[in-house]
């Protein structure tokens, strides 16, 4: 099934790890660090018949791990000296194609050593960031469930939510990247999503009552996405899962008004640049950025085209950039960084885009489902823009007799 694409949301503080690129161990194709590095792992399996043992839970620093083995494999004359060869369909009665796969085992002494080294290095980085959070006095954030603002100390906010709202994410001294964790939790609550069972509800009141009665005012311990926010997970130890609460028993010591002040916080406008991941709050700001950094005059595009033409141009550029293809000369690149370098050079005028490329019906539809730049467009720059309409390709003039048109087709 084809899944919709989504632009990254704007967040302050710590840089999102998913914006970095990781190069394949065996070739020069780069991949954005998606959830669990599944794109790269799938590429290794399908294109290079290469499998890494216990990757999801055993590798603390995937970019460093991939970089190490990429360099190491270049040094050895025979990769099978380090990997186990697995052969498929070797039985006499097997009818499938015989294939060989390479397994990089986590039992290999060298692999054990590099994983341990990377885990220790990652732990030092995590502890350093945790210390930064403890000493950072610029912290300012509202409680997830009420209007109260907390400043300077993150622990005070966490303690407040635990005691005033009976909601705890764990001991503060075991937490790291706290603001990012709060962003994640706030986004889930804004989507009417229960933090424990992760079911979606129709409105705020229903969600609040559900979380109170079912004792779901906690995060889901089986959701591995939360692992990065707990220091213990960087030590190589596995934390124990919390016991299941009794779904049918309402807690006696729970206060029904724990979430009474819970407010609906509207999402801040985030306009993502057409060429990079920078986010802006206004059309003016993103226009200045694209012209100054990427040599792309968005004002000229808006003045030259009507609303629906602007929509198609934006969706076309979004798609090409996603595919690492230049939207002007259509040259394909191995990575997004290579495309960025190409667009920043003087190879061509980034404002001269072939109309036959973008003026297609498919680009009426957004490349990214949450592209707020499309919502921010104003159709007021051209005098005749208000009269512009989308005309279906098989549209018939109103004066055409419907019966006659049907007979002509027959």
């Amino acid at each position: 099934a084809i899944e919709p694409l989504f632009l990254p949301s704007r967040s302050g503080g710590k840089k999102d790890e998913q914006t970095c690129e990781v190069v394949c161990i065996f070739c020069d194709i780069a991949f954005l660090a998606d959830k669990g590095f599944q794109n790269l792992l799938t590429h290794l399996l399908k294109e290079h018949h290469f499998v890494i043992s216990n990757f999801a839970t055993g590798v603390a620093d995937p970019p460093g791990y991939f970089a190490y083995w990429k360099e190491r494999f270049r040094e050895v004359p025979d990769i099978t000296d380090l990997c186990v060869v697995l052969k498929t369909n070797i039985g006499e009665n097997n009818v499938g194609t015989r294939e060989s796969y390479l397994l990089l085992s986590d039992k290999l002494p060298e692999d054990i050593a590099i994983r341990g080294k990377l885990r220790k290095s990652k732990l030092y980085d995590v502890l350093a960031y945790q210390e930064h959070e403890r000493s950072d006095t610029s912290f300012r954030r509202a409680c997830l469930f009420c209007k109260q603002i907390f400043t300077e100390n993150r622990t005070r906010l966490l303690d407040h939510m635990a005691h005033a709202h009976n909601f705890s994410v764990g001991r503060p001294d075991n937490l790291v990247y706290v603001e990012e964790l709060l962003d994640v939790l706030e986004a889930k609550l804004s989507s009417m999503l229960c933090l424990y069972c992760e079911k979606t509800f129709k409105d705020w009141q229903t969600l609040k009552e559900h979380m109170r009665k079912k004792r779901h005012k906690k995060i889901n311990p089986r959701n591995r996405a939360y692992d990065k926010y707990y220091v213990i997970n960087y030590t190589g130890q596995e934390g124990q899962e919390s016991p299941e609460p009794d779904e049918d028993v309402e807690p006696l010591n729970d206060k029904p008004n724990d979430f009474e002040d819970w407010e609906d916080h509207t999402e801040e406008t985030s306009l993502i640049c057409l060429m990079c991941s920078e986010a802006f709050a206004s059309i003016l700001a993103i226009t200045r950025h694209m012209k100054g950094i990427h040599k792309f005059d968005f004002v000229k595009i808006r003045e030259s085209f009507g609303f629906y033409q602007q929509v198609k141009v934006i969706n076309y550029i979004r798609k090409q950039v996603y595919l690492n293809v230049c939207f002007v000369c259509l040259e394909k690149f191995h990575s997004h960084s290579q495309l960025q370098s190409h667009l920043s050079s003087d190879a061509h005028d980034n404002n001269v885009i072939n109309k036959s490329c973008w003026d297609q019906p498919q680009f009426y539809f957004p490349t990214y489902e949450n592209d707020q730049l499309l919502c921010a467009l104003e159709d007021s720059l051209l005098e005749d823009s208000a009269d512009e309409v989308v005309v279906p390709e098989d549209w018939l003039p109103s004066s055409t007799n419907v019966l006659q048109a049907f007979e002509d087709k027959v």
Side-chain angles (χ1 to χ4, degrees):
I2 299 177
E3 297 183 357
L5 300 174
F6 291 89
L7 287 166
S9 59
R10 180 171 60 179
S11 60
K14 183 176 174 288
K15 184 179 179 180
D16 189 351
E17 292 180 353
Q18 295 188 3
T19 60
C20 72
E21 289 186 343
V22 180
V23 180
C24 172
I25 295 176
F26 299 103
C27 64
D28 294 327
I29 298 179
F31 295 84
L32 287 177
D34 62 333
K35 184 178 180 181
F37 293 84
Q38 286 304 311
N39 284 342
L40 177 52
L41 294 175
T42 301
H43 168 79
L44 289 171
L45 176 64
K46 292 183 176 180
E47 300 298 328
H48 304 290
H49 286 199
F50 183 80
V51 181
I52 300 175
S53 176
N54 193 24
F55 176 84
T57 58
V59 179
D61 180 14
Y65 184 81
F66 288 126
Y68 174 84
W69 283 114
K70 184 178 182 67
E71 185 64 27
R72 187 71 176 92
F73 287 154
R74 287 175 177 172
E75 299 173 352
V76 296
D78 188 356
I79 192 175
T80 58
D81 292 340
L82 298 172
C83 299
V84 178
V85 179
L86 303 177
K87 296 183 178 181
T88 63
N89 299 316
I90 59 176
E92 295 181 358
N93 298 325
N94 295 133
V95 295
T97 304
R98 293 188 177 184
E99 296 180 312
S100 296
Y101 290 84
L102 294 172
L103 172 66
L104 180 58
S105 173
D106 59 342
K107 304 301 181 183
L108 180 72
E110 185 174 351
D111 190 74
I112 294 174
I114 186 59
R115 291 188 187 212
K117 180 180 179 181
L118 292 174
R119 183 183 298 113
K120 182 180 292 187
S121 177
K122 184 69 174 180
L123 178 59
Y124 287 153
D125 292 341
V126 167
L127 292 176
Y129 194 85
Q130 185 188 51
E131 183 60 30
H132 162 72
E133 289 182 316
R134 290 175 175 175
S135 59
D136 179 24
T137 58
S138 64
F139 175 77
R140 178 182 175 84
R141 192 178 187 114
C143 170
L144 294 177
F145 309 110
C146 67
K147 301 176 182 179
Q148 189 169 348
I149 302 292
F150 292 85
T151 59
E152 297 186 0
N153 195 318
R154 293 161 175 79
T155 302
R156 291 179 56 228
L157 171 57
L158 298 173
D159 288 342
H160 163 79
M161 291 194 297
H163 293 93
H165 303 289
N166 201 26
F167 177 82
S168 175
V169 292
R171 294 181 291 108
D173 58 355
N174 187 34
L175 293 173
V176 69
Y177 309 130
V178 175
E179 285 197 71
E180 183 180 331
L181 172 59
L182 294 173
D183 286 339
V184 171
L185 298 178
E186 186 174 16
K188 289 179 180 290
L189 293 174
S190 298
S191 301
M192 311 298 173
L193 194 72
C194 173
L195 299 178
Y196 185 81
C197 66
E198 300 184 340
K199 294 179 181 177
T200 303
F201 294 85
K202 62 180 181 179
D203 54 43
W204 296 94
Q205 191 59 40
T206 306
L207 173 59
K208 289 186 286 185
E209 191 66 10
H210 161 82
M211 292 179 67
R212 184 184 71 83
K213 286 188 174 182
K214 297 296 184 180
R215 302 180 69 181
H216 283 190
K217 286 184 282 186
K218 62 182 76 175
I219 64 175
N220 184 359
R222 292 173 296 281
N223 188 336
R224 308 298 296 186
Y226 291 120
D227 288 355
K228 65 179 292 186
Y229 305 112
Y230 294 87
V231 176
I232 192 173
N233 293 316
Y234 295 93
T235 64
Q237 304 178 33
E238 294 186 1
Q240 293 185 350
E241 194 172 287
S242 301
E244 288 283 349
D246 189 341
E247 294 283 328
D248 299 320
V249 178
E250 182 171 350
L252 298 177
N253 60 344
D254 204 7
K255 297 179 291 184
N257 61 343
D258 282 342
F259 293 170
E260 199 161 289
D261 295 329
W262 194 355
E263 292 190 317
D264 182 3
H265 300 285
T266 56
E267 185 178 355
E268 185 179 7
T269 301
S270 181
L271 308 180
I272 307 297
C273 172
L274 292 173
M275 291 81 177
C276 67
S277 59
E278 289 292 323
F280 302 88
S282 67
I283 285 283
L284 179 60
I286 194 174
T287 297
R288 289 175 176 172
H289 165 79
M290 289 192 289
K291 186 173 183 179
I293 302 299
H294 304 294
K295 303 178 182 179
F296 182 75
D297 193 347
F298 191 50
V299 172
K300 182 179 179 181
I301 295 294
R302 301 193 68 206
E303 290 177 345
S304 302
F305 299 132
F307 175 77
Y308 291 106
Q309 290 178 313
Q310 295 175 40
V311 167
K312 288 195 285 188
V313 170
I314 290 175
N315 291 330
Y316 165 72
I317 294 177
R318 291 281 196 213
K319 181 177 181 180
Q320 297 302 93
V321 171
Y322 171 75
L323 297 174
N324 290 332
V325 174
C326 175
F327 54 85
V328 178
C329 66
L330 304 183
E331 183 178 352
K332 172 72 174 178
F333 296 90
H334 286 304
S335 67
H336 185 68
S337 58
Q338 291 180 354
L339 173 61
Q340 288 289 300
S341 299
H342 171 76
L343 292 174
S344 299
S345 67
D346 295 324
H348 47 60
D349 185 351
N350 292 344
N351 300 286
V352 181
I353 309 175
N354 193 325
K355 185 177 181 180
S356 63
C357 293
W358 60 262
D359 194 13
Q360 302 179 33
Q362 62 174 304
F363 296 118
Y364 280 125
F365 303 96
T367 300
Y368 294 95
E369 293 293 318
N370 61 336
D371 193 346
Q372 295 189 36
L373 181 58
L374 295 174
C375 302
L377 289 177
E378 297 176 5
D379 192 19
S380 59
L381 294 177
L382 296 178
E383 293 181 358
D384 59 346
S385 60
D387 298 327
E388 185 178 4
V389 295
V390 179
V391 181
E393 294 181 351
D394 58 350
W395 178 79
L396 292 172
S398 57
S399 60
T400 303
N401 184 276
V402 176
L403 180 59
Q404 182 63 45
F406 175 77
E407 292 175 349
D408 290 342
K409 287 187 177 182
V410 175

